[in-house]
Amino acid sequence: MRTPYVILIKVYIFIPYLATVLVGDPVSGQALVAKLAMAYGLFAALTAPLLGAAMDRAGRRMPVLAAITIAIILCCASLWWATPSGLGLGVTCAIIFMAGILFAYSEVLHNSLLPFAAPPNQTSATSGLGLALGSAISVALLAFVLWAFALPAKMSAPWLPAAPLFGLSATAHETDRIVGPLVAVVFALGSLPLFLRGRDAPRGAGGGISDSLAQLKLTLKSLSSNRPMATFLVSRMIYTDGLTAILLFTGIYAAGVMRWSAIELTALAIIVSCFLAIGGLVGARLDRRFGPRRAIQIELAVVIIGQMALIGISPDRLFYSHYSRSPVWDGPMFTQLPELAFIFFACINAVGICGCYASSRSMLTSLATPGTIGSWFGLYALSGTVTIWLGSAFIGIATSLLGSQQAGFAALVALLVAGWAGMFAVREPQTI
């Protein structure tokens, strides 16, 4: 149930609203969001490993995960009041900051539950299926948002409501802000099966902060004698910063560069989320066919190609060349060839990104032992949802210095290439 938060709030609807409406300028908005993501990512990076070590000592994850889940739900619901005359830009950023930290903590706890929840030798399949299901639910929620709010504000049709449901105003951007409460409801309902029927880790040895720090120190010390794990964690920290930044900034990028409004962004989100679901299944299959290390490299290569193509696309540019031709079809949106090309390569990226997430979790569980899985996933959280500060920093610096959203996206290719190369030094695990 975490995926709708990422898709609707962090990527395609709310954050583009924050960047373009609350900030007022897409370039400045992208730079601000990058700095915000860098701030909460860096804070979480300094604290998530300690949380993972503490969970290894405590054993049971569910009570802490339940408290974090409730806090995330409250943060999401409060975004309804994110207006210039309501919460304002400062308070809204503070809520996003807190939600980002809590989401990173939930990532550590969810990932560390994987070896206990998944059947033996089914880690990669379970990981990929979980990501695929989350994306599928996001598609359903996005389709509802498109039908109930976005399309009725732009057009009339027999199969659409006469106006946005609940009397929401598109002019006041209520149709954008409603995704906060919607995600909160879906998050709450979707979490119930986990807490009512999910399998928790067994009770551990317990202990306070000092014991957790000692556990973390032992884990860090073991890196010197566990070269495959050390190399993987460093490589993963580099490439996942780039992957996550691409995913999180696609909505802002499309809003600013392609000049798409909420209706186009919602449609884009639905299409891309379908391919995110496919990516989770593809990642599991590549794991079984080639092993997690080679699967990760294949998936990264796909994203590198897709990212290079996206940078060369704008409304009047196709693959770095000027483009000015008539529409290729008569439709309500996405009528120009550059728009269709943008969607195509965004989908290619989605398959590679989600597949790489699934393969990366599989890789770590194959290298770790159940007794220290929480600590390893605490360090694992130094990338992805935690240290996106590095990818966000690249975007923020390049965007601010060069005044171009394309420059910010181009900076991420270096992270992907470096992480891809680093995986050559990771020894393939014997069992998956």
Side-chain angles (χ1 to χ4, degrees), residues 30-386:
Q30 177 170 294
L32 174 64
V33 172
K35 292 174 183 176
L36 182 62
M38 180 179 68
Y40 69 66
L42 186 57
F43 181 89
L46 298 174
T47 53
L50 180 60
L51 173 65
M55 290 300 97
D56 278 339
R57 298 287 303 178
R60 297 181 62 206
R61 274 77 162 162
M62 290 294 191
V64 178
L65 183 58
I68 291 174
T69 299
I70 292 172
I72 293 175
I73 290 170
L74 293 176
C75 287
C76 292
S78 68
L79 296 178
W80 168 252
W81 293 278
T83 64
S85 60
L87 294 177
L89 180 61
V91 176
T92 301
C93 287
I95 293 172
I96 295 297
F97 176 85
M98 181 59 64
I101 294 171
L102 293 170
F103 190 84
Y105 290 168
S106 72
E107 179 84 355
V108 175
L109 297 177
H110 275 282
N111 286 343
S112 66
L113 280 170
L114 186 59
F116 306 101
N121 300 321
Q122 292 294 316
T123 301
S124 62
T126 303
S127 176
L129 180 61
L131 290 171
L133 288 175
S135 298
I137 292 171
S138 298
V139 170
L141 189 56
L142 284 164
F144 173 75
V145 170
L146 188 66
W147 173 82
F149 308 118
L151 285 177
K154 298 288 185 179
M155 58 183 290
S156 61
W159 50 275
L160 288 176
L165 295 186
F166 314 130
L168 298 186
S169 169
T171 304
H173 298 283
E174 291 177 342
T175 52
D176 297 327
R177 292 183 281 113
I178 192 62
V179 299
L182 283 177
V183 169
V185 171
V186 172
F187 210 127
L189 295 177
S191 298
L192 289 178
L194 172 65
F195 295 118
L196 295 178
R197 301 292 300 273
R199 184 188 305 169
D200 202 349
R203 187 178 298 276
I209 294 178
S210 60
D211 295 318
S212 299
L213 283 170
Q215 176 69 45
L216 178 59
K217 289 178 181 177
L218 284 174
T219 303
L220 290 170
K221 188 176 180 180
S222 69
L223 280 174
S224 60
S225 59
N226 193 343
R227 183 177 176 182
M229 180 68 80
T231 307
F232 168 65
L233 287 175
V234 171
S235 298
R236 198 261 178 184
M237 182 169 62
I238 294 171
Y239 70 69
T240 307
D241 280 348
L243 294 176
T244 305
I246 290 172
L247 181 63
L248 296 185
F249 284 90
T250 294
I252 299 175
Y253 186 85
V257 175
M258 302 303 294
R259 298 190 286 275
W260 286 345
S261 64
I263 185 171
E264 288 88 2
L265 291 176
T266 305
L268 174 67
I270 292 173
I271 298 169
V272 169
S273 295
C274 291
F275 283 86
L276 282 171
I278 294 172
L281 301 176
V282 169
R285 176 159 293 189
L286 288 175
D287 281 359
R288 294 192 296 269
R289 178 71 180 274
F290 301 106
R293 180 180 69 83
R294 291 183 181 177
I296 289 170
Q297 289 182 307
I298 293 170
E299 291 147 357
L300 284 175
V302 168
V303 180
I304 290 170
I305 294 171
Q307 184 69 359
M308 292 298 297
L310 276 182
I311 296 168
I313 298 173
S314 69
D316 58 355
R317 189 175 54 167
L318 183 63
F319 304 133
Y320 303 93
S321 299
H322 179 72
Y323 182 91
S324 58
R325 296 181 184 176
S326 58
V328 295
W329 73 297
D330 184 19
M333 65 183 77
F334 309 137
T335 60
Q336 297 288 341
L337 189 57
E339 293 180 309
L340 297 175
F342 187 97
I343 294 172
F344 174 79
F345 285 104
C347 292
I348 293 295
N349 275 356
V351 172
I353 289 171
C354 195
C356 199
Y357 284 161
S359 298
S360 296
R361 294 199 302 191
S362 174
M363 185 79 185
L364 185 130
T365 56
S366 69
L367 294 171
T369 58
T372 59
I373 193 69
S375 296
W376 287 123
F377 268 117
L379 297 178
Y380 179 90
L382 285 171
S383 53
T385 57
V386 174

